[in-house]
Amino acid sequence: MKEYLKTYRIKITALSPIHIGSGEKINKKEYIYLPRNHQVLIPDIEKMYGDLQKKGLGKAYMEYLLSNGSRGPALGQWLKQSQVPVAQYTAWKKYEMDAGEAFVAQAARPKEIDAFIKDAYGMPYIPGSSIKGMIRTALIAWEIRKDPEKYTANREKIAASSRERANRKVCLSKETSALEQQIFYTLNRDQKKRSSAVNDNLAGLRVGDSYPIPVEQLTLSQKIDYTLDGQEKPLPLLRETLKPGTEIEADITIDTTLCPYTMEDIIKALDFFQKVCYKYFYSRFRRGTEKPGIIWLGGGCGFLSKTILYPLYGSQAVRIIDNIYKNTLGNSYRTHKHAKDIGLKIAPHVCKCTKYEGKLYDMGMGYMTYRPI
């Protein structure tokens, strides 16, 4: 291998359920809950429909799909009512997973599942883009910490723009892009257009998709909002997640002619971002940890893990975040009680959690190590 290319194998051990969404939603008419062994079976719909037709249930199944909206029975209940034996379900199985805590309580029972991203063979994996995005956010925070005065103008512009009404999908996108360009766009490949992506020095940080993860490592996790006074509020949102203890491996290659960061720098940046997350957020809920090596990955971690506002503003970030919520959420600002954030001196004012085997976990926590290869 060329000497200027440094390649590493990273290992992320899931310390809590981790979810990387595919964008696919599996509604309650597309999965079968098996209470006897507390499993959820995802059937191959074509195989199942073929068998139901042979049993003379094809028309009834189509009527079931088209009727009742969200109020009708779940697929497992309909099959039981139609006297289809449980033993036959396995012939339809695409994959099966532990149901976790999802069907233990009657309150806030989930109606659909957010699916985990899978490869062409149906195996879960972590996209390299998800890992690189996590690293990129941490490096921005680390650079701000090293020279806070350098980013004073960015800080002032973001604060001013946060007070303007905006679409939540594009809110502060120009301002954060300008900050990223100031930090990373140092290559001068296109001197006429500094904002061109060809100038991004993280082009030299290549993060591959993780190696496939066994389907058996999937479980179901229900979203739980955890409040400052320790209340757990389960919500009807269910995700396919990796079980705590799952090991995820991926390869990172650093082109040292382009990327100014070493693997040691990346670990320092991730550790610093973790300290920020703990200091300004998780410690207020008496959750999280101060240990090094901790990373926050995937969906369901909450706003904090995807933003650089706390590294930029410290405790003053609460007011900026309140402005953003106020100007992007419309009526949801009141519905979700974000007006409380200023008084509580924390934003957002709930911690995103879930349960696995009876224990409450913060969503998306992992422990990362690496070795040269």
Side-chain angles (χ1 to χ4, degrees), residues 354-371:
T354 191
K355 280 191 172 179
Y356 177 71
E357 294 187 343
K359 180 181 176 181
L360 189 70
Y361 285 90
D362 304 313
M363 273 293 296
M365 182 192 288
Y367 177 74
M368 192 173 104
T369 57
Y370 73 95
R371 61 182 175 84

Side-chain angles (χ1 to χ4, degrees), residues 111-321:
K111 295 177 180 177
E112 62 183 13
I113 298 168
D114 286 348
F116 200 98
I117 192 167
K118 301 176 186 71
D119 64 20
Y121 301 97
M123 302 288 282
Y125 74 101
I126 306 288
S129 58
S130 295
I131 300 170
K132 186 171 181 177
M134 172 190 74
I135 293 171
R136 191 179 185 93
T137 301
L139 286 170
I140 293 171
W142 192 52
E143 291 289 356
I144 292 169
R145 177 215 183 189
K146 288 194 292 184
D147 191 356
E149 298 304 316
K150 184 177 179 180
Y151 305 101
T152 298
N154 304 85
R155 196 178 290 110
E156 291 173 354
K157 180 61 177 172
I158 289 173
S161 297
S162 74
R163 295 189 286 270
E164 299 172 2
R165 192 167 297 279
N167 183 299
R168 63 184 299 183
K169 292 183 179 180
V170 297
C171 180
L172 298 181
S173 59
K174 290 182 181 178
E175 293 77 12
T176 52
S177 290
L179 176 62
E180 289 191 29
Q181 288 169 21
Q182 186 172 345
I183 292 171
F184 298 127
Y185 284 35
T186 62
L187 294 183
N188 293 319
R189 285 169 157 180
D190 187 341
Q191 295 183 8
K192 293 182 179 179
K193 188 179 179 183
R194 188 171 183 271
S195 61
S196 173
V198 300
N199 292 324
D200 188 348
N201 60 39
L202 289 192
L205 177 65
R206 304 167 192 169
V207 185
D209 294 341
S210 79
Y211 292 91
I213 301 163
V215 174
E216 292 75 22
Q217 292 304 114
L218 288 178
T219 185
L220 292 183
S221 296
Q222 187 163 3
K223 180 180 178 181
I224 297 173
D225 280 352
Y226 185 83
T227 65
L228 286 168
D229 59 1
Q231 292 184 51
E232 299 174 18
K233 298 182 178 180
L235 301 172
L237 177 61
L238 195 58
R239 300 181 175 104
E240 291 183 345
T241 61
L242 300 177
K243 297 176 183 178
T246 301
E247 293 185 347
I248 306 145
E249 291 192 325
D251 294 339
I252 290 180
T253 297
I254 299 175
D255 182 338
T256 59
T257 66
L258 301 175
C259 181
Y261 302 105
T262 65
M263 200 64 202
E264 291 76 14
D265 292 333
I266 289 170
I267 296 301
K268 287 177 183 176
L270 289 167
D271 282 346
F272 171 69
F273 188 70
Q274 144 66 7
K275 287 178 181 177
V276 171
C277 291
Y278 181 77
K279 178 180 180 180
Y280 293 108
F281 189 74
Y282 288 104
S283 64
R284 291 289 307 279
F285 295 90
R286 297 170 297 281
R287 302 200 59 77
T289 176
E290 292 184 89
K291 294 178 181 178
I294 299 299
I295 55 98
W296 299 95
L297 180 65
C301 297
F303 181 82
L304 187 79
S305 68
K306 308 294 189 294
T307 182
I308 44 82
L309 293 176
Y310 277 102
L312 261 180
Y313 296 98
S315 60
Q316 296 303 310
V318 174
R319 192 164 295 280
I320 306 299
I321 296 169

Side-chain angles (χ1 to χ4, degrees), residues 59-126:
K59 183 179 179 181
Y61 173 66
M62 294 303 296
E63 289 174 351
Y64 161 68
L65 290 180
L66 296 170
S67 66
N68 296 318
S70 61
R71 296 184 179 181
L75 179 57
Q77 295 169 325
W78 181 85
L79 290 168
K80 184 177 181 180
Q81 292 167 9
S82 302
Q83 298 181 336
V84 178
V86 174
Q88 193 163 351
Y89 302 171
T90 54
W92 312 330
K93 184 173 75 171
K94 187 184 292 183
Y95 62 96
E96 189 175 351
M97 76 193 95
D98 170 50
E101 303 287 317
F103 299 91
V104 174
Q106 293 293 324
R109 178 160 285 191
K111 295 177 180 177
E112 62 183 13
I113 298 168
D114 286 348
F116 200 98
I117 192 167
K118 301 176 186 71
D119 64 20
Y121 301 97
M123 302 288 282
Y125 74 101
I126 306 288

